[in-house]
Amino acid sequence: MRFDIEYLSFFVIQVEGREGQGARGYKHYQTMDDYDYEDSPVKKFLDGEFSRIAKRKVEKNPLTEQAPTKIGTFIVEPGYELDSNPNFNMFNRMRTADGKEDFKNACDDLVRNYLDTGSVRGGALILSRAKMTTHSDDPFIFVMKCDFENKIARISDERNLIDEVEMAISTKSIKSIMYPHMPEAGMTEEWELKIHQPSHARYFEDFLKFVVYEQSVPEIVTERVMEFVHSYVEEKWPDESSEERQREEHDLELWTASDKRDLQQKWEPEQVMEAAERITEFQPDIEVKFKLGNTQVKGLLADFGYGVHITRLNGRYAVILEGESFVFDKGHSPIELLQPEDFRTVAERLLERREERDDDGLPY
């Protein structure tokens, strides 16, 4: 996957103070055309970066809430066209620029907007227009942000040994925007762009105020679970003013707001399985994680009631896992040598152990 650069503008963002709270400014260093770029050190610095950005996998519904790579969609009011979106127009001016000066001016507009982003930090901002001529003549816009590396030194010569570098940048943790989004080689989505920001700072999401992102899978699951919960409450207590319903709704508010949650013990297994099946219809490989005592359990939501069972054992919880075979991680443990007992034997021993401790007055 090869991209041919048409224009590239190199800017340096200058920010005073910590966390980008001081004065902000930028300096334009150079704008190049294709001939300039071929002979520029920037070519070596960015070699392969355009292809990596284009090939980077992304899901419309990320598997985690803080996914580093996302697909954004331009927002428009009903009945309006794409050119009513300010963020689209910003990229489109760069796509349709005629000549280096026109491209540089379009980039200036983007950089000034970017400076308004909260907590922006200093670094290099590289904006380019490129074509993948093997597939199409439609241009792509790449926005790349390289943060400054602190305390960088390099070996200079046998006399000075160490040379301090004032403003060092690398592509190690580069943040990027690619417009338009390319789901497959040669296929473009004019309404979508792809952002990549591998850090806790969400500069690009703050910067693109008229772009929306699809919900992550955990957010979708939470939303659907809450829909089932509210339906359950409405069916069980139709009267909104009833004391039982108000108490239940209060308990649910506390449950949803808590970071660490225990079993609520409200639904029968069949109700849980029905809700799980409706969720896994749209995402069969949704994971579920929980901790029982010191043991972490991780599996598929679809396995609940089939390969994963939760039960009570004399006032305590127990998890039963079913499967065809075991797979152990690297390293060896004596458990791998086990000849498993019959399930009934284990269950009877656990029940007897509890009875013995009860008779001795010992905590289980």
Side-chain angles (χ1 to χ4, degrees):
M1 189 177 290
R2 179 169 173 259
F3 288 88
D4 296 320
I5 302 302
E6 292 187 314
Y7 300 109
L8 182 144
S9 282
F10 194 103
F11 297 83
V12 170
I13 306 294
Q14 299 156 329
V15 178
E16 297 178 6
R18 300 187 62 183
E19 300 296 322
Q21 299 304 312
R24 307 174 183 189
Y26 73 95
K27 180 179 179 181
H28 169 251
Y29 273 69
Q30 192 177 356
T31 294
M32 312 172 194
D33 59 18
D34 52 345
Y35 297 107
D36 301 327
Y37 179 75
E38 285 299 317
D39 298 326
S40 168
V42 177
K43 185 180 190 306
K44 296 179 182 177
F45 177 72
L46 293 178
D47 192 34
E49 226 22 72
F50 299 99
S51 178
R52 274 190 285 274
I53 292 170
K55 289 180 178 178
R56 185 172 283 123
K57 291 186 178 180
V58 61
E59 300 288 341
K60 270 210 165 179
N61 300 109
L63 295 178
T64 63
E65 291 186 39
Q66 298 299 324
T69 311
K70 296 181 179 180
I71 297 173
T73 305
F74 293 113
I75 307 169
V76 298
E77 293 291 335
Y80 286 82
E81 299 297 328
L82 191 51
D83 59 8
S84 65
N85 183 293
N87 291 157
F88 165 78
N89 291 331
M90 188 169 55
F91 286 102
N92 198 46
R93 281 196 296 272
M94 297 167 64
R95 289 185 84 198
T96 57
D98 185 14
K100 282 201 298 186
E101 190 63 24
D102 198 16
F103 182 76
K104 185 259 183 186
N105 292 336
C107 291
D108 267 333
D109 292 340
L110 185 145
V111 176
R112 282 195 295 270
N113 276 282
Y114 180 72
L115 281 180
D116 291 335
T117 303
S119 300
V120 68
R121 293 178 178 85
L125 194 61
I126 304 169
L127 300 91
S128 56
R129 189 172 88 188
K131 287 185 179 181
M132 196 169 63
T133 52
T134 54
H135 291 76
S136 171
D137 284 333
D138 289 337
F140 292 88
I141 298 300
F142 291 90
V143 178
M144 290 173 276
K145 169 71 188 313
C146 305
D147 293 335
F148 287 139
E149 299 281 348
N150 295 325
K151 298 180 181 177
I152 297 294
R154 65 185 177 194
I155 298 174
S156 58
D157 55 43
E158 65 277 6
R159 196 171 48 175
N160 297 319
L161 291 182
I162 296 295
D163 181 24
E164 185 177 347
V165 180
E166 183 182 355
M167 295 190 301
I169 59 173
S170 77
T171 58
K172 180 177 61 177
S173 59
I174 197 169
K175 303 170 183 68
S176 64
I177 303 174
M178 179 181 179
Y179 175 74
H181 172 47
M182 184 170 63
E184 297 178 16
M187 180 188 299
T188 57
E189 294 289 349
E190 191 181 23
W191 285 76
E192 296 176 349
L193 48 75
K194 178 165 70 174
I195 67 170
H196 178 68
Q197 40 194 6
S199 72
H200 67 281
R202 290 296 182 248
Y203 303 141
F204 290 149
E205 289 182 49
D206 294 342
F207 162 56
L208 300 170
K209 302 182 187 299
F210 303 98
V211 171
V212 293
Y213 307 89
E214 296 289 341
Q215 288 180 303
S216 66
V217 170
E219 289 171 329
I220 294 173
V221 172
T222 298
E223 189 175 271
R224 294 205 173 187
V225 168
M226 295 314 299
E227 288 175 1
F228 300 146
V229 167
H230 289 308
S231 296
Y232 160 77
V233 170
E234 289 170 2
E235 289 176 9
K236 190 166 184 178
W237 296 283
D239 182 5
E240 293 184 15
S241 61
S242 72
E243 186 177 333
E244 292 89 348
R245 175 164 172 169
Q246 291 178 6
R247 185 166 52 246
E248 183 73 10
E249 289 175 339
H250 175 70
D251 291 345
L252 289 171
E253 284 181 15
L254 296 176
W255 169 62
T256 55
S258 174
D259 291 332
K260 293 184 179 180
R261 299 185 294 276
D262 199 352
L263 283 180
Q264 296 300 295
Q265 304 188 51
K266 295 180 181 293
W267 288 5
E268 296 297 325
E270 293 77 13
Q271 290 175 282
V272 175
M273 289 177 66
E274 180 184 351
E277 286 172 1
R278 288 168 63 182
I279 291 172
T280 55
E281 282 176 1
F282 85 97
Q283 189 78 25
D285 55 352
I286 289 178
E287 292 185 342
V288 63
K289 301 176 188 176
F290 56 88
K291 196 172 183 180
L292 180 63
N294 294 320
T295 303
Q296 185 83 31
V297 180
K298 175 181 175 182
L300 295 177
L301 180 60
D303 286 340
F304 178 78
Y306 300 97
V308 179
H309 311 270
I310 296 176
T311 184
R312 293 187 66 85
L313 181 66
N314 289 327
R316 304 184 84 204
Y317 296 122
V319 175
I320 303 169
L321 306 177
E322 292 181 73
E324 295 294 330
S325 61
F326 278 92
V327 176
F328 288 89
D329 290 336
K330 289 183 179 180
H332 296 81
S333 77
I335 298 176
E336 296 176 52
L337 303 174
L338 176 71
Q339 174 62 50
E341 297 176 282
D342 180 79
F343 175 78
R344 189 183 298 276
T345 302
V346 175
E348 289 174 353
R349 183 170 68 248
L350 291 175
L351 292 170
E352 289 170 3
R353 181 191 301 171
R354 177 58 189 251
E355 290 171 0
E356 290 172 1
R357 297 189 72 85
D358 285 345
D359 292 341
D360 294 335
L362 296 173
Y364 188 55

